[in-house]
């Protein structure tokens, strides 16, 4: 999935997620995927906040989100996870294109990309069903 990543406002990432994701990316093989490249870019440009200061409407690691595919109006729910947990049903890895894309987005934000077919696709964050920081779960 080739992304032309367009979204409307700054990406916000928790300091804990930033530290863990940098470590994850450092352990990756030299031939990085498009998603890991996107993740590097997000980490470099994101506004970093302490977990306690994270707004409750932002997608963080281990957040359960409800997304809307804009063209079809289909809704998709998933948990944004680390790669080793992505095999659990309902989880999507942060190293998958959609996982890297939604990290740090807030409720109502949209993300657009072009797929392999060249078709432009967009998704909107409808709601955050669970965000660890909002519940004081800072060590997940």
């Amino acid at each position: 999935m080739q992304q032309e990543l367009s979204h409307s406002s700054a990406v916000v990432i928790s300091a804990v997620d930033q530290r863990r994701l940098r470590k994850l990316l450092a352990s990756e093989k030299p031939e990085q995927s498009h998603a890991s490249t996107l993740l590097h870019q997000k980490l470099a440009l994101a506004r970093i906040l302490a977990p306690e200061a994270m707004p409750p409407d932002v997608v963080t690691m281990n957040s359960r989100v409800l997304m809307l595919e804009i063209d079809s109006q289909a809704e998709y729910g998933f948990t944004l996870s680390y790669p080793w947990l992505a095999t659990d049903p309902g989880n999507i890895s942060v190293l998958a294109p959609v996982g890297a894309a939604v990290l740090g987005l807030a409720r109502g934000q949209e993300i657009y990309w072009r797929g392999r077919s060249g078709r432009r696709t967009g998704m909107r964050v409808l709601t955050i069903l669970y965000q660890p920081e909002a519940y004081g779960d800072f060590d997940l």
Side-chain angles (χ1 to χ4, degrees):
M1 181 182 322
Q2 180 183 358
Q3 295 179 352
E4 62 175 40
L5 256 201
S6 56
H7 48 77
S8 56
S9 63
V11 171
V12 180
I13 296 177
S14 85
V16 171
D17 287 350
Q18 178 197 40
R19 186 174 51 254
R20 289 176 179 169
L21 291 170
R22 284 192 189 280
K23 186 176 179 180
L24 171 66
L25 291 170
S27 71
E28 277 213 309
K29 295 178 177 72
E31 65 282 346
Q32 294 182 350
S33 68
H34 183 74
S36 63
T37 300
L38 171 60
L39 210 47
H40 275 291
Q41 292 170 349
K42 278 195 166 189
L43 292 173
L45 299 173
R47 190 173 67 150
I48 307 301
L49 297 177
E52 300 81 13
M54 184 61 61
D57 65 343
V58 172
V59 179
T60 63
M61 291 305 300
N62 299 302
S63 288
R64 177 100 184 124
V65 300
L66 185 61
M67 304 290 294
L68 176 73
E69 200 278 321
I70 295 170
D71 290 340
S72 70
Q73 295 293 294
E75 293 182 6
Y76 301 94
F78 61 86
T79 298
L80 182 61
S81 69
Y82 291 98
W84 53 89
L85 297 173
T87 57
D88 292 350
N91 287 2
I92 291 187
S93 171
V94 70
L95 292 181
V98 72
V102 302
L103 176 70
L105 296 184
R107 183 178 55 232
Q109 276 190 289
E110 297 177 354
I111 188 88
Y112 294 90
W113 67 88
R114 291 205 184 274
R116 289 189 183 117
S117 68
R119 182 176 160 267
R120 189 169 190 249
T121 302
M123 294 189 80
R124 177 181 309 126
V125 179
L126 288 179
T127 192
I128 312 295
L129 301 168
Y130 168 77
Q131 184 213 60
E133 293 81 359
Y135 286 87
D137 297 334
F138 302 120
D139 296 323
L140 290 183

